[in-house]
Short mmCIF file of all heavy atoms in Angstrom, two decimals:
data_model
loop_
_atom_site.label_atom_id
_atom_site.label_comp_id
_atom_site.label_asym_id
_atom_site.label_seq_id
_atom_site.Cartn_x
_atom_site.Cartn_y
_atom_site.Cartn_z
N LYS A 41 14.19 43.03 -6.31
CA LYS A 41 14.61 43.99 -5.30
C LYS A 41 16.03 44.47 -5.61
O LYS A 41 16.88 43.69 -6.06
CB LYS A 41 14.56 43.34 -3.92
CG LYS A 41 14.88 44.27 -2.77
CD LYS A 41 14.87 43.50 -1.44
CE LYS A 41 13.51 42.92 -1.15
NZ LYS A 41 13.47 42.23 0.16
N LEU A 42 16.27 45.76 -5.37
CA LEU A 42 17.60 46.33 -5.58
C LEU A 42 18.09 46.93 -4.26
O LEU A 42 17.41 47.77 -3.66
CB LEU A 42 17.56 47.42 -6.65
CG LEU A 42 18.91 47.99 -7.09
CD1 LEU A 42 19.77 46.89 -7.73
CD2 LEU A 42 18.73 49.14 -8.07
N THR A 43 19.26 46.48 -3.81
CA THR A 43 19.82 46.91 -2.53
C THR A 43 21.20 47.51 -2.74
O THR A 43 22.03 46.96 -3.47
CB THR A 43 19.94 45.71 -1.56
OG1 THR A 43 18.65 45.12 -1.37
CG2 THR A 43 20.49 46.15 -0.20
N TYR A 44 21.44 48.65 -2.09
CA TYR A 44 22.73 49.33 -2.15
C TYR A 44 23.44 49.12 -0.83
O TYR A 44 22.89 49.40 0.25
CB TYR A 44 22.52 50.83 -2.40
CG TYR A 44 23.80 51.62 -2.56
CD1 TYR A 44 24.41 51.74 -3.81
CD2 TYR A 44 24.38 52.28 -1.47
CE1 TYR A 44 25.58 52.48 -3.97
CE2 TYR A 44 25.55 53.02 -1.63
CZ TYR A 44 26.14 53.11 -2.88
OH TYR A 44 27.30 53.84 -3.03
N VAL A 45 24.67 48.62 -0.89
CA VAL A 45 25.47 48.40 0.31
C VAL A 45 26.17 49.71 0.66
O VAL A 45 27.12 50.11 -0.01
CB VAL A 45 26.49 47.26 0.10
CG1 VAL A 45 27.35 47.08 1.35
CG2 VAL A 45 25.76 45.96 -0.23
N GLY A 46 25.69 50.38 1.70
CA GLY A 46 26.23 51.68 2.06
C GLY A 46 27.60 51.60 2.71
O GLY A 46 28.40 52.53 2.60
N SER A 47 27.87 50.50 3.40
CA SER A 47 29.17 50.31 4.04
C SER A 47 29.45 48.83 4.18
O SER A 47 28.58 48.07 4.61
CB SER A 47 29.20 50.99 5.42
OG SER A 47 30.40 50.69 6.09
N ALA A 48 30.66 48.43 3.84
CA ALA A 48 31.05 47.03 3.99
C ALA A 48 31.25 46.66 5.45
O ALA A 48 31.31 45.48 5.78
CB ALA A 48 32.33 46.75 3.20
N GLU A 49 31.29 47.67 6.32
CA GLU A 49 31.58 47.43 7.73
C GLU A 49 30.33 47.12 8.55
O GLU A 49 30.41 46.50 9.60
CB GLU A 49 32.29 48.65 8.33
CG GLU A 49 33.59 49.03 7.62
CD GLU A 49 34.62 47.92 7.68
OE1 GLU A 49 34.68 47.22 8.71
OE2 GLU A 49 35.35 47.74 6.68
N ASP A 50 29.16 47.57 8.07
CA ASP A 50 27.95 47.41 8.90
C ASP A 50 26.72 47.34 8.00
O ASP A 50 26.48 48.25 7.19
CB ASP A 50 27.83 48.59 9.86
CG ASP A 50 26.85 48.30 11.00
OD1 ASP A 50 25.87 47.56 10.77
OD2 ASP A 50 27.07 48.83 12.11
N GLU A 51 25.93 46.28 8.17
CA GLU A 51 24.75 46.08 7.33
C GLU A 51 23.64 47.10 7.60
O GLU A 51 22.71 47.23 6.80
CB GLU A 51 24.20 44.67 7.54
CG GLU A 51 25.11 43.57 7.02
CD GLU A 51 24.53 42.18 7.24
OE1 GLU A 51 23.41 42.11 7.81
OE2 GLU A 51 25.17 41.20 6.85
N LYS A 52 23.73 47.82 8.72
CA LYS A 52 22.67 48.78 9.02
C LYS A 52 22.63 49.92 7.99
O LYS A 52 21.64 50.66 7.92
CB LYS A 52 22.85 49.35 10.43
CG LYS A 52 24.02 50.31 10.59
CD LYS A 52 24.11 50.84 12.01
CE LYS A 52 25.25 51.85 12.19
NZ LYS A 52 25.34 52.35 13.57
N TYR A 53 23.70 50.06 7.21
CA TYR A 53 23.73 51.10 6.18
C TYR A 53 23.21 50.61 4.83
O TYR A 53 23.19 51.38 3.86
CB TYR A 53 25.16 51.64 6.02
CG TYR A 53 25.67 52.33 7.26
CD1 TYR A 53 26.70 51.77 8.01
CD2 TYR A 53 25.14 53.55 7.68
CE1 TYR A 53 27.19 52.40 9.15
CE2 TYR A 53 25.60 54.18 8.83
CZ TYR A 53 26.63 53.61 9.55
OH TYR A 53 27.10 54.23 10.69
N ASP A 54 22.82 49.35 4.74
CA ASP A 54 22.23 48.84 3.50
C ASP A 54 20.92 49.58 3.22
O ASP A 54 20.12 49.80 4.12
CB ASP A 54 21.95 47.34 3.60
CG ASP A 54 23.22 46.51 3.72
OD1 ASP A 54 24.32 47.07 3.53
OD2 ASP A 54 23.10 45.31 4.02
N GLN A 55 20.70 49.92 1.97
CA GLN A 55 19.47 50.58 1.57
C GLN A 55 18.74 49.76 0.51
O GLN A 55 19.32 49.48 -0.55
CB GLN A 55 19.74 51.97 1.01
CG GLN A 55 20.31 52.97 2.00
CD GLN A 55 20.44 54.35 1.38
OE1 GLN A 55 19.51 54.86 0.73
NE2 GLN A 55 21.59 54.98 1.58
N VAL A 56 17.51 49.37 0.79
CA VAL A 56 16.68 48.75 -0.24
C VAL A 56 16.12 49.89 -1.08
O VAL A 56 15.26 50.65 -0.62
CB VAL A 56 15.55 47.91 0.37
CG1 VAL A 56 14.65 47.35 -0.73
CG2 VAL A 56 16.11 46.77 1.20
N LEU A 57 16.63 50.04 -2.29
CA LEU A 57 16.26 51.18 -3.12
C LEU A 57 14.85 51.06 -3.67
O LEU A 57 14.14 52.05 -3.81
CB LEU A 57 17.26 51.34 -4.27
CG LEU A 57 18.73 51.49 -3.84
CD1 LEU A 57 19.62 51.66 -5.06
CD2 LEU A 57 18.90 52.65 -2.87
N ASP A 58 14.45 49.85 -3.98
CA ASP A 58 13.08 49.63 -4.46
C ASP A 58 12.84 48.13 -4.59
O ASP A 58 13.79 47.34 -4.66
CB ASP A 58 12.84 50.30 -5.80
CG ASP A 58 11.37 50.62 -6.05
OD1 ASP A 58 10.52 50.18 -5.23
OD2 ASP A 58 11.06 51.31 -7.03
N SER A 59 11.57 47.77 -4.62
CA SER A 59 11.18 46.39 -4.94
C SER A 59 9.90 46.45 -5.75
O SER A 59 9.04 47.31 -5.52
CB SER A 59 10.98 45.55 -3.67
OG SER A 59 9.87 46.01 -2.93
N VAL A 60 9.78 45.57 -6.73
CA VAL A 60 8.61 45.55 -7.60
C VAL A 60 8.12 44.12 -7.76
O VAL A 60 8.90 43.17 -7.72
CB VAL A 60 8.91 46.15 -8.99
CG1 VAL A 60 9.24 47.62 -8.89
CG2 VAL A 60 10.04 45.40 -9.68
N LEU A 61 6.81 44.00 -7.94
CA LEU A 61 6.20 42.71 -8.24
C LEU A 61 5.95 42.63 -9.73
O LEU A 61 5.42 43.58 -10.33
CB LEU A 61 4.88 42.55 -7.47
CG LEU A 61 5.00 42.48 -5.95
CD1 LEU A 61 3.61 42.46 -5.32
CD2 LEU A 61 5.81 41.27 -5.52
#
Side-chain angles (χ1 to χ4, degrees):
K41 184 183 298 183
L42 187 63
T43 302
Y44 183 87
V45 178
S47 174
E49 303 299 324
D50 197 328
E51 292 180 0
K52 71 179 182 180
Y53 296 111
D54 294 349
Q55 295 185 47
V56 176
L57 303 181
D58 205 352
S59 66
V60 294
L61 295 175

